[in-house]
Amino acid sequence: MWNLLTPPAFKEEMPADKVDATYKSLRWQVFLGIFIGYAGFYIVRKNFSMAIPFLGEFGFDKGELGIVLSMNAIAYALSKFLMGSVSDRSNARVFLPLGLVLAALSMMFMIVPVMAFGPENKMWAIVLMTVLNFLVGWFNGMGWPPCGRVMTHWFSQNERGMKMSIWNCAHNVGGAVIGPMAAYGAMWFGSWFYGANESYYFLIGTYVFPAAVALFIAVLAYLLIRDTPQSCGLPSIEQYRNDYPKNYSEKSEEVLSSKDIFFKYVLNNKMLWFIAIANAFVYMVRYGCLDWAPKFLMETQGYNIKEAGWAYFAYEFAAIPGTLICGWISDKVFKGGRALTTSIFMAIVAVFILLYWQFSDNSTIVTLSLIGIGFFIYGPVMLIGVQALDLAPKNAAGTAAGLTGFFGYFFGTAILANIVIGYVSEAGWNWTFLMLLAACALAIVFTMFTYKDEKVLLSKK
């Protein structure tokens, strides 16, 4: 397995007259590869959220389903951190498609707990759901790190803000289609598998259909992605663009040991710790709204799967222009300042959460509020990832991003958004909204702890 993942050796540099044309072509080819590939991970990522309202009809309560939901985030948090280190020492072209194939297969098997055990053996069904959703999360953790590796090797630091904001829309594209996929996959293919038994159609729409699409995307990603410019006979991106960041050295092109990555460049960086804690609260808001939206809308608004699916789509799709605008503001208005941009966007998110809560009996305002939250929440998600890449050398990028991701997914998503909100919502949705507003405030506080140091670093560039 390790031989399969070993980064390809550097090739002899091609003639100078071919470098520019080849670089331009391959840069956009690998960018398309990681965009499509990362979107594919989100097609087999949070599908369980769409299944929750239907699983409730089989006798599973919100607390139990919240625990299953949390396994995805716990596994993803651990995997993104630990597999980030593996990714820094692996061939991105193989690492990303391999993770996507394994995630898709794990998602496909999510139909088994309901079909093999069902409500009659609820405990065993929950156990198997928990294991499978853990595997889905773990293999999904193999998506971001190789993309970060590709981004830092093919795009220089001064262009990375906007490029990252464009690439970051991949998970919104993938996440947005989950709702329609669940609805139309069940309509188109449910009868093929279950005949007239419509209560099982959702299993095809939420699990099998997206997994089949993800397997196809994994093949496309493999065909498009390349590991590093040097493995293609090209110079480093810094040499090609004459764009050397302050912390650049020739050692940035070397493959580091795990010890050097963790102890020299990640664990002793206080700025990384501040944004990691802030990320926990950003992700609590992101997934506290997203994961429970189908349940909230179908329970309090009377939405059906098609209406809830399109509301889910709207939340994710609104993030695309929001993320692009956030990246532009960060680069052009605040000249690379991430902290202030993140704080402003989180304050606006809080306003939309308040509207979502106070007008929860108005379906129009609820839908518009979800669109507003989606528009503004993904900018901070993206910017914290950009900060992590900026604060570490590029051969430690996966691990640096993994630390912030671990806090976001383990503490913010699994513990707070999934388990805590799952049980708190049993006492009423009002407590859920109060928690989400508090999370917005805490995200702003911890982000602003980096403001002064960030200004100092930007002044030295």
Side-chain angles (χ1 to χ4, degrees), residues 6 55 61 86 119-120 149 176 179 190 331 338 368 383 449 453:
T6 300
L55 292 170
D61 63 49
V86 177
E120 299 82 10
R149 175 178 170 83
D331 280 352
R338 319 299 185 193
L368 290 175
L383 283 183
F449 282 157
D453 287 339

Side-chain angles (χ1 to χ4, degrees), residues 16-17 66 105 151 177 182 262 313 329 403 419 428 459:
D17 61 338
L105 294 176
M151 189 64 69
V177 299
F262 279 111
F313 172 88
I329 290 173
L403 178 67
I419 295 177
S459 69

Side-chain angles (χ1 to χ4, degrees), residues 79-95:
S79 177
K80 190 174 180 182
F81 188 42
L82 298 175
M83 299 303 281
S85 178
V86 177
S87 172
D88 284 331
R89 296 175 284 118
S90 299
N91 183 353
R93 185 185 187 189
V94 176
F95 195 88

Side-chain angles (χ1 to χ4, degrees), residues 419-450:
I419 295 177
V420 174
I421 287 181
Y423 280 101
V424 167
S425 64
E426 294 282 2
W429 291 103
N430 286 343
W431 288 105
T432 299
F433 286 106
L434 285 171
M435 289 175 60
L436 293 173
L437 290 171
C440 289
L442 289 167
I444 292 170
V445 169
F446 281 98
T447 299
M448 291 305 291
F449 282 157
T450 70

Side-chain angles (χ1 to χ4, degrees), residues 279-321:
N279 206 34
F281 295 111
V282 169
Y283 271 68
M284 179 186 174
V285 175
R286 174 188 177 185
Y287 284 115
C289 291
L290 182 65
D291 285 345
W292 294 103
K295 181 69 172 174
F296 175 77
L297 294 173
M298 296 176 78
E299 187 175 277
T300 66
Q301 295 292 319
Y303 281 32
N304 58 36
I305 184 175
K306 189 174 180 181
E307 292 167 329
W310 281 109
Y312 197 97
F313 172 88
Y315 177 96
E316 287 281 4
F317 200 78
I320 295 175

